[in-house]
Amino acid sequence: MKPFTYERPRTAADAVAAVLRKPGGRFIAGGTNLLDLMKLQVETPGHLVDVQDLGFNKIEPTPDGGLRIGALVTNTVLAADPRIKRDYGVLSRAIVAGASGQLRNKATTAGNLLQRTRCPYFYDTNQPCNKRQPGSGCGAIGGASRGLGLMGVSTSCIATHPSDMAVAMRLLDAKVETIDDVGTVRSIPIADFHQLPGTTPHIETILRPGELITGVELPRPLGGRHVYHKVRDRASYAFALVSVAAVLQRDGSGRVAVGGVAPKPWRVEAAEPLLRRSSESFANSLLSGAAPTEDNHFKLALVERTLAGILHEVRA
């Protein structure tokens, strides 16, 4: 790990100013992803700004009947909150499907959204990776790609976004709230928050330099059956090959978002009316334009079969 400086401000304004003041400044909260990347020298921030004292650790009702989740609410607290379990069950289930209990005790809501890919070429500094070192190439293209992406990918990067929580947030149409160095507050639809790689895979979100996530707003609850099904290589503590988040009615209508297949949670609203017809029709539309590799072509069928199982369960 390379040397770095550290400070712990008490206000959001001070935190943003601190990140912008020193080259290589980064926010840190639970650190469950960033510290691992620093140990491997995948990330080498020169200055860490600890935001744990900023008070963004509450879950509060909104005037329109939704909930506002503070950026520093831990995964454990969020998944166990009675309002989340009752009204946003898909979110609670997605969080519990991710990581271990120890990590969920530290991992925060904002940090979960900002997780970086688990692509093995990103983690191996001896391999080319446009996400880690722009312009160096992508070792995954033509390499081992079983766990990597087939939707929204490019000739520069086929990495996937690893968060389970973000898939459920996308399904629920959450909004990410931020503040910048001049006090401007933004509310960003989660559909727009994560970027596709294109020719700049190192730019993963639309956050501006120094912009700090302060919370996530959930709209009014969705009725219906909330389901999160995660397919992985082992039963626990593994990232998804494919995950399916769904809120479904008994007639098969509803919403679906998919993880493990793209650089962001993958949802195609225009395909959702096809859920009433069949899982195959929906999956064909959802995955239209897929660019699978020889290693991960199986994910096309895996998405459809996982969804078919969910629909059968809901209609039974």
Side-chain angles (χ1 to χ4, degrees):
M1 185 182 290
K2 292 188 175 182
F4 59 89
T5 53
Y6 170 91
E7 65 180 293
R8 196 163 178 168
R10 298 305 178 104
T11 69
D14 288 345
V16 171
V19 160
L20 292 173
R21 185 171 60 248
K22 292 191 177 183
R26 290 288 305 276
F27 297 119
I28 187 169
T32 57
N33 188 200
L34 179 58
L35 291 178
D36 282 343
L37 294 173
M38 290 172 65
K39 291 172 186 176
L40 295 171
Q41 295 191 22
V42 173
E43 294 215 31
T44 55
H47 186 60
L48 292 184
V49 178
D50 193 329
V51 297
Q52 292 186 77
D53 292 337
L54 303 188
F56 303 138
N57 58 355
K58 297 180 177 61
I59 304 173
E60 302 170 306
T62 61
D64 62 357
L67 287 176
R68 185 185 184 279
I69 303 162
L72 297 174
V73 173
T74 66
N75 286 182
T76 295
V77 169
L78 182 58
D81 186 278
R83 296 162 294 184
I84 298 294
K85 294 174 72 173
R86 181 187 66 232
D87 297 329
Y88 304 94
V90 65
L91 178 56
S92 181
R93 291 180 176 91
I95 293 170
V96 172
S100 65
Q102 294 94 327
L103 285 173
R104 292 196 299 270
N105 287 341
K106 287 295 292 181
T108 63
T109 299
N112 202 302
L113 292 176
L114 295 173
Q115 283 187 79
R116 305 205 69 188
T117 185
R118 264 54 182 190
C119 173
Y121 296 91
F122 173 72
Y123 269 75
D124 185 349
T125 56
N126 293 311
Q127 297 290 334
C129 174
N130 289 318
K131 187 179 285 292
R132 186 184 66 247
Q133 185 178 354
S136 63
C138 176
I141 296 176
S145 56
R146 182 172 180 272
L148 300 180
L150 45 86
M151 300 302 302
V153 296
S154 73
T155 56
S156 296
C157 182
I158 60 172
T160 54
H161 185 71
S163 170
D164 291 288
M165 186 196 80
V167 179
M169 293 283 196
R170 175 68 182 93
L171 182 78
L172 296 168
D173 285 332
K175 293 182 178 179
V176 182
E177 299 177 353
T178 67
I179 190 168
D180 67 11
D181 58 317
V182 295
T184 302
V185 173
R186 283 208 291 170
S187 180
I188 305 167
I190 195 165
D192 302 327
F193 182 75
H194 296 102
Q195 299 271 72
L196 295 180
T199 59
T200 56
H202 59 291
I203 303 175
E204 298 176 354
T205 73
I206 65 169
L207 291 176
R208 301 163 184 155
E211 195 169 11
L212 174 67
I213 297 175
T214 57
V216 175
E217 184 176 330
L218 299 178
R220 292 175 63 87
L222 295 171
R225 181 80 172 271
H226 287 225
V227 182
Y228 189 79
H229 195 114
K230 181 176 181 178
V231 183
R232 44 193 164 181
D233 281 327
R234 58 179 186 267
S236 66
Y237 199 44
F239 294 97
L241 290 171
V242 162
S243 62
V244 176
V247 175
L248 298 167
Q249 310 303 323
R250 289 190 65 87
D251 65 0
S253 64
R255 300 181 181 187
V256 172
V258 179
V261 300
K264 61 190 292 184
W266 198 253
R267 182 180 172 205
V268 179
E269 286 90 333
E272 289 172 352
L274 296 173
L275 285 166
R276 291 177 182 241
R277 186 181 303 174
S278 70
S279 59
E280 184 178 6
S281 297
F282 169 77
N284 286 340
S285 182
L286 175 77
L287 302 175
S288 176
T293 67
E294 184 178 347
D295 285 352
N296 68 18
H297 194 278
F298 72 95
K299 289 190 179 188
L300 294 171
L302 189 58
V303 170
E304 192 275 321
R305 292 170 186 172
T306 303
L307 181 61
I310 289 172
L311 289 173
H312 177 76
E313 177 185 339
V314 169
R315 292 166 176 165

